[in-house]
Amino acid sequence: MEQGKIIMKTNEKVSNYIKLCSEWAEKFLQMDKEELKKRLPELKEEDGYLKITHFGVPFGIRLDDGRIDCLDGKGEANATEMLNIYTLLGYVKENASFMDKWVPFADLRDARPFGPAYKIGVTDVFAATFSGHAKELREAFLKLNGTELPQGDVGYQINAFECEPMRFYFWDCDDEFEAQGNILFDYSATDFNHVESAVSTAEMGVKRLAELAGLPLRGKSFGMQ
């Protein structure tokens, strides 16, 4: 019985995410597409889509019904990917621009209330997943055309979106210390997207790196699919 309750709760969460994506699809239909393209020059209108790339994967937002398709031919977009894209479209501010001011999540505007959950669900998962796997992590960054950084045992800058670069730092475990990870955002991140979406964007980055490295996620990830 207890297992059944857990499955029901999980299915309910997934259904809520799917419902939210459907609501965002309706909102997208009402958005000024030309204004969106001005605010987000990375958006390309082609083949009935507004196309955008999220952590190296191409997606398309359908102009006819607002749904999001994964365009790499390898599967469907999951809820995290879709909501990261929808909220980017919905929250990007006029004249939002890259600042080159790098900060941890807690130093983004209005982020501190989400800090404890972010640590457990993102940076702790990042560290645990790649503990003992620095080589695989480095190879995953290279697959995303990452730019190597001097800090950490492994440090790279990659794009969540073209407008939202992120810096990932990893220190592997040794005889005295457990593996540690950190992720920096440009301070402009909350001009492009909602602060809660910074959490799911970082979560998606860790998940994408794990997929490319061929490793299972370890720790208490949020598990939004």
Side-chain angles (χ1 to χ4, degrees):
M1 181 65 70
E2 192 65 32
Q3 184 180 6
K5 290 181 180 178
I6 293 172
I7 292 173
M8 288 176 65
K9 287 181 180 178
T10 301
N11 289 340
E12 182 179 340
K13 283 176 63 179
V14 172
S15 296
N16 286 340
Y17 293 137
I18 292 172
K19 180 181 177 183
L20 188 56
C21 288
S22 296
E23 292 172 358
W24 270 107
E26 292 297 321
K27 291 179 184 179
F28 171 77
L29 296 178
Q30 307 306 315
M31 294 178 186
D32 183 331
K33 309 307 186 295
E34 294 305 315
E35 180 62 24
L36 279 178
K37 288 189 284 186
K38 287 180 184 178
R39 297 187 184 194
L40 296 166
E42 65 199 87
L43 287 170
K44 305 299 180 187
E45 186 172 341
E46 297 176 331
D47 308 320
Y49 290 105
L50 280 186
K51 294 182 178 180
I52 193 168
T53 299
H54 187 28
F55 286 116
V57 177
F59 294 91
I61 311 103
R62 297 184 198 173
L63 293 170
D64 59 352
D65 64 9
R67 305 286 178 174
I68 293 178
D69 292 332
C70 182
L71 302 178
D72 66 356
K74 297 179 181 178
E76 297 182 355
N78 64 45
T80 307
E81 293 164 329
M82 289 190 286
L83 290 174
N84 288 346
I85 294 168
Y86 281 133
T87 54
L88 174 67
L89 302 178
Y91 286 101
V92 60
K93 297 177 182 177
E94 186 177 6
N95 299 320
S97 61
F98 177 67
M99 296 181 184
D100 200 19
K101 178 183 176 182
W102 296 95
V103 297
F105 173 78
D107 289 344
L108 291 174
R109 283 183 290 268
D110 303 318
R112 289 196 179 275
F114 307 102
Y118 171 86
K119 180 181 182 300
I120 293 171
V122 179
T123 53
D124 286 357
V125 172
F126 178 41
T129 297
F130 290 100
S131 180
H133 297 284
K135 178 177 179 290
E136 291 91 334
L137 177 59
R138 184 175 289 104
E139 291 172 350
F141 280 125
L142 292 174
K143 290 176 182 177
L144 290 173
N145 297 315
T147 300
E148 190 169 9
L149 302 169
Q151 297 87 358
D153 292 333
V154 183
Y156 277 83
Q157 180 175 318
I158 56 175
N159 286 342
F161 299 100
E162 282 186 26
C163 64
E164 191 174 347
M166 300 172 68
R167 290 183 170 182
F168 288 72
Y169 297 101
F170 175 76
W171 294 265
D172 209 350
C173 58
D174 58 25
D175 292 339
E176 297 183 34
F177 299 101
E178 294 182 350
Q180 296 183 48
N182 195 16
I183 302 170
L184 299 187
F185 299 78
D186 185 66
Y187 195 69
S188 65
T190 49
D191 289 337
F192 285 96
N193 215 328
H194 192 279
V195 66
E196 290 185 63
S197 295
V199 178
S200 59
T201 298
E203 177 199 11
M204 194 64 241
V206 173
K207 182 181 179 185
R208 180 79 70 231
L209 289 166
E211 288 174 349
L212 292 171
L215 297 171
L217 288 174
R218 298 176 62 190
K220 298 180 180 179
S221 62
F222 296 110
M224 185 167 63
Q225 298 299 322

